[in-house]
Amino acid sequence: MSAGDPAAAEGKSAKDAGGLRAALGGLTTRGRSFLAAGVAAAVCAYVLGQGDLLRVGLLLAVLPLVCVAVLYRTRYRVAGSRRLSPSRVPAGSEARVHLRMDNVSRLPTGLLMLQDHVPYVLGPRPRFVLDRVEAGGRREVSYRVRSDLRGRYPLGPLQLRLSDPFGLCELTRSFSAFDTLTVIPRTEALPPVRLAGEAAGYGDGRQRSLALAGDDDVIPRNYRYGDDLRRVHWRSTARYGELMVRREEQPQRARCTVLLDTRRTAYQGSGPDSAFEWAVSGAASALVHMLERGFAVRLLTDTGSSVPGEGADGFAGSTQESADSAGLMMDTLAVVDHSDGGGLSPSYDVLRGGNEGLLVAFFGDLDEEQAGLAARMRQRSGAAVAFVLDSETWVTGGAVPGAVEDRLRLLREAGWTALAVPPATPMSTLWQQAGRDRTESTGSSTNGFSGGWS
């Protein structure tokens, strides 16, 4: 800022004046009492002509003002930071929040009081009292947060209250930084079962196709460090003037689509133990399980929206790390909510676009029309497994009604491996049962792809 810039100078003066007024407003009752006593003593000294009393009055009045000036400078020389460990945590598990305060000034601070703003669902608001921080020093504290409800929760802002050693002035500073804690659905480790419809080879879910049928059909590529020299194609090397190798195998990852029914009309009840939350957790468990087995996985909802990977078809690409794919889908499941759609038509339109490989679906209440639509989804998949949740059963805790059995029978006739989900049944138990039912229905033969995972 130059000396000839009156507008900037005026703005700075106004800002400083506003900050000083705010600092004076931070005087405590003790500080105001000292200031009032000092002014009163100075007036009495002037009236009575007592020089000693005037010095006492000036001391009493100046002391709180000096404390205000010191804190006013200190509040802009204290830096705060927050770190989450981890930033993504399953529902019901704890995360730790680390707070750090740095004194970047050349003067020590007084008493510091920290307060971090957290949503009520994560627990009580944490407060800490820090002793005097030396010049250039730091203090670190931490607290734990926990939520039984999935979602994305903001943490912050961090508030710092500074106090002088005499307790005459207190100033509050709010840092602008926010952090987000993502509470993802609970997941279960699923047992390794064998289902027809998955491809074998790469990991547990990839097939390989030969890319050449003879010397005339060679598709060469540039030599890369680590390639087997026995794969060098000398005719192409002579033609291009550099080492070329045969692309003998092209890996193809088996696909898996996890379909989650989120229709508001398909579920009753709410809370961590509701049918909808079980479906979300089941979908999360299936996603993690299939990604760990090397599948290219896509998360699809009844609205037709999906969580894509690198490919244009919506599946996680073959070069994407499984952990990154799982994190992206888990972040989506952390905030997924009921949709206002009344049917499964949008998801059916997406599924009928091509061969989806393995289809794992989590359905809520199905009427006759929606059950028929779900049955037709089986036509575009190598294998299909459906977990059907009846809301009435989950609310009342009774037996599965006959209407649900009819829907399950319709799905099984269409080729689905369909299971009813009793309340609070572990996903791992149903997953293993699905493997047994699929093996019994197909016998020792397999359709489409061969093998599975083991």
Side-chain angles (χ1 to χ4, degrees):
M1 180 183 65
S2 63
D5 190 354
E10 182 181 354
K12 181 178 181 181
S13 300
K15 181 178 179 181
D16 291 343
L20 288 174
R21 284 196 297 268
L24 290 173
L27 285 172
T28 62
T29 302
R30 181 184 299 177
R32 296 175 187 273
S33 299
F34 266 64
L35 184 60
V39 173
V43 172
C44 292
Y46 176 77
V47 173
L48 300 176
Q50 297 292 328
D52 293 338
L53 182 59
L54 178 61
R55 286 190 289 271
V56 173
L58 291 178
L59 176 62
L60 293 176
V62 169
L63 183 58
L65 297 179
V66 171
C67 293
V68 168
V70 172
L71 289 184
Y72 177 71
R73 290 180 55 84
T74 304
R75 67 180 301 187
Y76 296 108
R77 295 181 178 272
V78 178
S81 62
R82 183 191 301 104
R83 179 173 57 87
L84 302 182
S85 177
S87 60
R88 183 188 293 120
V89 63
S93 300
E94 290 184 344
R96 185 168 288 275
V97 183
H98 301 269
L99 303 177
R100 190 176 104 177
M101 302 303 302
D102 294 275
N103 182 13
V104 297
S105 68
R106 298 179 180 179
L107 297 175
T109 68
L111 194 66
L112 299 180
M113 286 167 282
L114 290 179
Q115 177 176 279
D116 205 8
H117 288 262
V118 300
Y120 176 76
V121 70
L122 296 182
R125 181 171 298 178
R127 294 181 176 89
F128 303 94
V129 178
L130 304 181
D131 293 332
R132 178 176 177 270
V133 182
E134 65 278 4
R138 70 177 57 170
R139 296 290 186 272
E140 295 185 3
V141 293
S142 64
Y143 64 93
R144 294 177 296 179
V145 291
R146 179 181 181 274
S147 174
D148 292 328
L149 301 175
R150 56 186 175 81
R152 292 172 63 87
Y153 301 101
L155 300 179
L158 177 63
Q159 284 189 341
L160 174 64
R161 182 179 296 176
L162 300 94
S163 177
D164 66 280
F166 304 103
L168 302 179
C169 182
E170 288 185 354
L171 295 181
T172 301
R173 177 185 177 186
S174 294
F175 297 88
S176 58
F178 285 83
D179 289 282
T180 301
L181 175 67
T182 303
V183 181
I184 61 177
R186 297 185 182 93
T187 58
E188 295 184 41
L190 302 183
V193 299
R194 187 178 182 87
L195 297 176
E198 309 96 31
Y202 176 76
D204 293 321
R206 187 163 81 170
Q207 63 180 0
R208 299 180 183 269
S209 60
L210 294 180
L212 56 135
D215 248 1
D216 295 334
D217 298 325
V218 170
I219 304 176
R221 62 169 174 83
N222 292 333
Y223 174 83
R224 299 170 186 167
Y225 179 78
D227 285 338
D228 191 348
L229 291 177
R230 291 174 296 181
R231 295 177 56 192
V232 174
H233 192 257
W234 298 109
R235 183 179 301 176
S236 299
T237 299
R239 178 185 303 173
Y240 295 104
E242 57 181 331
L243 281 178
M244 306 291 290
V245 297
R246 294 178 296 178
R247 198 185 324 223
E248 293 182 348
E249 290 183 337
Q250 289 184 338
Q252 296 179 356
R253 299 185 88 188
R255 293 178 170 184
C256 175
T257 297
V258 177
L259 173 61
L260 176 62
D261 181 10
T262 64
R263 294 172 298 136
R264 190 179 302 275
T265 57
Y267 300 93
Q268 299 178 21
S270 60
D273 299 326
S274 63
F276 180 68
E277 292 301 323
W278 190 99
V280 174
S281 297
S285 301
L287 285 169
V288 172
H289 180 78
M290 302 308 294
L291 283 170
E292 290 176 349
R293 297 307 185 271
F295 279 70
V297 182
R298 174 177 62 179
L299 172 63
L300 183 67
T301 65
D302 59 291
T303 61
S305 60
S306 61
V307 181
E310 293 178 347
D313 53 3
F315 289 86
S318 58
T319 60
Q320 189 173 7
E321 295 292 337
S322 296
D324 296 337
S325 302
L328 179 62
M329 296 179 186
M330 286 297 177
D331 288 346
T332 301
L333 289 176
V335 296
V336 69
D337 201 356
H338 292 290
S339 68
D340 295 328
L344 301 172
S345 299
S347 57
Y348 173 74
D349 293 338
V350 174
L351 290 172
R352 69 180 181 180
N355 187 2
E356 304 300 324
L358 176 64
L359 176 60
V360 181
F362 296 84
F363 293 120
D365 296 335
L366 295 174
D367 56 22
E368 186 174 355
E369 178 183 358
Q370 301 306 316
L373 194 62
R376 293 196 294 273
M377 294 179 183
R378 171 65 179 84
Q379 301 172 0
R380 289 295 184 178
S381 61
V385 181
F387 300 94
V388 182
L389 295 91
D390 177 65
S391 296
E392 182 179 352
T393 303
W394 277 73
V395 172
T396 62
V400 177
V404 177
E405 293 293 346
D406 294 339
R407 307 292 184 259
L408 294 174
R409 188 179 305 109
L410 177 62
L411 294 177
R412 290 165 183 160
E413 290 175 354
W416 286 82
T417 301
L419 293 86
V421 181
T425 303
M427 175 63 185
S428 56
T429 302
L430 294 175
W431 187 260
Q432 195 165 16
Q433 181 181 346
R436 291 196 301 265
D437 292 352
R438 186 69 185 177
T439 302
E440 293 175 359
S441 63
T442 59
S444 59
S445 63
T446 58
N447 299 323
F449 302 109
S450 62
W453 67 77
S454 59

